[in-house]
Amino acid sequence: MTPLTIRNDWPIVGWVFGGLWLFGLVVFTWFYARDGGFNQFDPAVEAGVMLLFWMFGMVVAAETVARSCMHLTIEDGRAVLIRTWLWRRRREILAPSSLRDVEIQRGRDSDGDPYYKLVLTTGAGEPLVLSESSTLTFVESRRDAILARL
């Protein structure tokens, strides 16, 4: 039987967005420092705006880098979960019985439309998003495929 592989690479979108945001901040900060400000507002206001953008950038960077990509492979009754962050990777062998606790969480996206996540809660209580989609049947098929392999 061929192995079942489920990937969730959505965190890469956040990594790219966070990286582009910080790159833009570096460029604008360089312009700001080179020209002695933008000379459109009071210097204190301009410095405050730059500071706010940097604070927001650090929060975005911390949030996006903390998320990991998931790669679950089930083969011959054995489940291997590979979690990949921006700078590290961790491989775990999961007990097949732990996959029985996989559940579908229903929520809403930023537009208010239904959004579904296939979540596995680890023994430590950490929720791992194995798959996500705006289509319920897609997430249900992923869950059913996992349960069929156990």
Side-chain angles (χ1 to χ4, degrees):
M1 182 178 263
T2 61
L4 171 66
T5 302
I6 296 176
R7 297 182 65 99
N8 185 4
D9 292 329
W10 272 106
I12 293 172
V13 174
W15 300 346
V16 170
F17 175 79
L20 290 173
W21 182 272
L22 291 178
F23 175 75
L25 276 176
V26 168
V27 169
F28 276 97
T29 303
W30 181 73
F31 287 149
Y32 179 78
R34 181 191 71 179
D35 298 340
F38 297 120
N39 301 317
Q40 292 186 2
F41 299 102
D42 183 67
V45 172
E46 288 182 356
V49 169
M50 289 297 290
L51 180 63
L52 286 174
F53 274 97
W54 271 103
M55 289 172 51
F56 179 76
M58 291 294 108
V59 169
V60 167
E63 275 295 312
T64 58
V65 170
R67 297 177 192 262
S68 64
C69 293
M70 303 289 168
H71 181 185
L72 177 69
T73 304
I74 302 172
E75 184 176 22
D76 300 327
R78 192 176 111 188
V80 177
L81 178 68
I82 299 172
R83 298 174 64 189
T84 306
W85 290 267
L86 200 53
W87 290 289
R88 66 185 169 118
R89 185 176 185 173
R90 186 168 71 197
R91 183 176 185 265
E92 303 172 50
I93 307 287
L94 301 175
S97 61
S98 69
L99 294 175
R100 288 189 184 94
D101 296 333
V102 70
E103 67 177 14
I104 296 175
Q105 290 182 353
R106 290 160 169 78
R108 301 247 174 230
D109 65 11
S110 60
D111 294 327
D113 297 327
Y115 197 75
Y116 308 96
K117 294 181 181 184
L118 184 63
V119 179
L120 171 68
T121 303
T122 64
E126 181 182 10
L128 305 176
V129 180
L130 299 176
S131 184
E132 51 191 302
S133 175
S134 59
T135 307
L136 178 59
T137 55
F138 177 78
V139 177
E140 285 176 336
S141 69
R142 291 283 176 103
R143 181 199 59 200
D144 295 343
I146 290 172
L147 295 176
R149 294 291 179 118
L150 304 178

